[in-house]
Amino acid sequence: MQNYVDEVLDSLKQKNSNEKEFIQAVSEVLDTIKPFIEKNPSLKKEALLERMVEPERIITFRVPWIDDNNNVRVNRGYRVQFNGAIGPYKGGLRFHPSVNQSIMKFLAFEQTFKNALTGLPIGGGKGGSDFDPKGKSDREIMHFCQSFMNELYRHIGHNIDVPAGDIGVGAREIGYLFGQYRKIKNQYEAGVLTGKGLEYGGSLARKEATGFGLIYFMREMLKANNLDFKGKTVTISGSGNVAIYAAQKAAEYGAKVVAMSDSNGCIYDERGVDLDEIKRLKEVERLRIKEYIKKFPCAVYIENQKDATPAVYKIKADIVLPCATQNDINLETAKILVNNGVIAIGEGANMPTTIDAITYLIENNVLLAPAKAANAGGVATSALEMSQNSMRYFWTFEEVDKKLDTIMTNIFNTCKETAKEYNLGINYVAGANIAAFKKVSSAVIAQGII
Ligand code: NDP
């Protein structure tokens, strides 16, 4: 069986040799599910692994738009519909210049397992574009979103594929995308996108859900190891949607968030970061994080050095929350964190930790909350948004938040129980991967060779 996993990985590497993020995401999952594959030798005859690592469909398309200086610009759009065995494809859209097919496939692959862990009926997908929203006017953003939807609309629908936000796609972009879909289709299909504004079908607590959910998962993980947030120092990589609401909930639980970052550098505020100011800078003004020190001169701004560990990870903290992007924590950074006495790491971002860093952290008894389990609160609440749209009804903030808390607690218990069943100790990464793989693969098998 060891050979079966290696054969599939070798073939995957050959076929997708230029897709390093996708290969990394698949390698992490296949390596950790080996104990499950060992117990189920018939899976090889079913070519199950081969079926699980091949997306059902990849759509790429041209996105032409006109900038404010009347220049015609062209970007590339993507939608990867990875696995629809347990429900309509579901996953966010990312607008960032780094977007390419490898990143889209890794995110869609991860999403398939994350969605399975929520216990809700949603398959896995992801999409986006190499469009860079930074520095663009509202009008340019709107034109880009409209052009993107002019093609994407053919491939989505509330029973087909339901996109949401991700890096660079927030409430403003979802609004423009939804408007264009409605215009083209001439129908009000609220459940076709999630992360919508509250005025037109959005769910209360969706904005907070990924960050809050991460902290609910971490609360359970700490509790299972006789720890809690009270009095702990926290540093957070990123200052976007996930980072902001993770910071808010961690502070509510008595932790002190001392640093947050963006892709240029981080601010360190020993008294605890002022979240109202971060929200103003990032959610309202869309400014760089270094502006923080203008209002709080007692804080410091530390610029990142090229090709070195991001500054935020050099600050000593009990709990570290990577909430920015993939491969933020490599082995070198992991060593710095362990040296600084980190107790727990909560992956708000998708695949923020490289495989060798994960191994090192777990070997050094750091509690690691794995992305596909710990950041599932966003998609889970998106599924709750779809339920509310179907019912033509809405739940209060407290009702949605309570359901989110229950879902995250259940996900942690699933990871813990699965790790225990396979004698994996605190390896919740493997626990999450095995539990999710079991669920999706049995649905795939039940539905025959399609
Ligand atoms: P936002 O666009 O709101 O914020 C992204 C943050 O990450 C910004 O602070 C940004 O800084 C930083 N960042 C982005 N790219 C890089 C990079 N290459 N290097 C360093 N910093 C970077 O995105 P979200 O908060 O929504 O998403 C953050 C992470 O969480 C992503 O990995 C996403 O896939 C994941 N996630 C998001 C969910 C959601 O519901 N939004 C759900 C589950 C996972 P800058 O402004 O300088 O670019």
Side-chain angles (χ1 to χ4, degrees), residues 75-76 78 93-100 103-104 107 127-134 144 166-169 263 288 324-326:
N75 286 93
R76 184 173 292 171
Y78 297 89
L93 297 172
R94 177 177 291 192
F95 291 169
H96 193 272
S98 64
V99 162
N100 57 32
I103 290 179
M104 292 286 99
L107 288 165
S129 174
D130 57 2
F131 172 73
D132 186 357
K134 272 201 201 97
F144 178 81
D166 189 76
I167 293 179
V169 178
S263 51
R288 308 309 297 159
T325 193
Q326 61 275 359

Side-chain angles (χ1 to χ4, degrees), residues 353-402:
T353 317
T354 60
I355 296 178
D356 50 358
I358 292 175
T359 309
Y360 180 82
L361 290 166
I362 294 175
E363 276 171 9
N364 281 277
N365 294 318
V366 176
L367 299 171
L368 184 65
K372 51 172 95 57
N375 73 24
V379 74
T381 308
S382 277
L384 299 178
E385 181 174 332
M386 290 162 74
S387 306
Q388 294 169 84
N389 295 151
S390 301
M391 293 190 293
R392 297 180 190 279
Y393 188 64
F394 71 94
W395 292 314
T396 63
F397 188 98
E398 290 69 28
E399 285 171 314
V400 179
D401 190 31
K402 192 153 181 267

Side-chain angles (χ1 to χ4, degrees), residues 94 96 98 107 111 114 126 134 165-169 206 210 237-243 261-264 282 288 304 323-326 328 348-351 375-376 378-379:
R94 177 177 291 192
H96 193 272
S98 64
L107 288 165
Q111 192 81 44
K114 177 189 313 198
K126 199 85 188 189
K134 272 201 201 97
D166 189 76
I167 293 179
V169 178
R206 172 60 187 92
T210 309
S237 164
S239 49
N241 174 262
V242 180
S261 71
D262 60 22
S263 51
N264 299 114
K282 291 296 176 179
R288 308 309 297 159
N304 289 337
C323 297
T325 193
Q326 61 275 359
D328 218 12
N350 285 307
M351 204 169 76
N375 73 24
V379 74

Side-chain angles (χ1 to χ4, degrees), residues 133-207:
K134 272 201 201 97
K136 302 290 188 298
S137 68
D138 263 6
R139 192 169 161 273
E140 288 175 321
I141 299 279
M142 181 179 77
H143 281 161
F144 178 81
C145 290
Q146 290 173 339
S147 179
F148 188 82
M149 188 51 85
N150 284 344
E151 175 59 33
L152 186 71
Y153 87 94
R154 299 169 211 283
H155 312 290
I156 61 175
H158 69 271
N159 283 325
I160 303 169
D161 183 350
V162 183
D166 189 76
I167 293 179
V169 178
R172 172 181 59 168
E173 291 73 19
I174 293 291
Y176 294 145
L177 291 162
F178 184 74
Q180 188 69 355
Y181 182 84
R182 188 172 71 76
K183 174 89 179 164
I184 297 169
K185 299 284 291 230
N186 192 30
Q187 65 183 30
Y188 207 98
E189 190 186 333
V192 68
L193 289 171
T194 60
K196 298 182 292 294
L198 295 177
E199 313 77 15
Y200 62 97
S203 173
L204 287 159
R206 172 60 187 92
K207 184 174 69 172

Side-chain angles (χ1 to χ4, degrees), residues 4-28 30 49-55 82 105 109:
Y4 177 40
V5 169
D6 292 342
E7 274 164 34
V8 173
L9 270 178
D10 284 348
S11 149
L12 184 97
K13 285 175 190 165
Q14 262 180 28
K15 274 198 201 164
N16 307 278
S17 54
N18 57 350
E19 296 185 351
K20 66 179 187 343
E21 292 85 0
F22 178 55
I23 291 169
Q24 179 185 340
V26 175
S27 302
E28 182 211 293
L30 296 199
L49 294 182
E50 292 86 332
R51 289 195 274 156
M52 295 290 288
V53 302
E54 194 64 37
F82 211 102
K105 282 172 70 180
F109 178 77

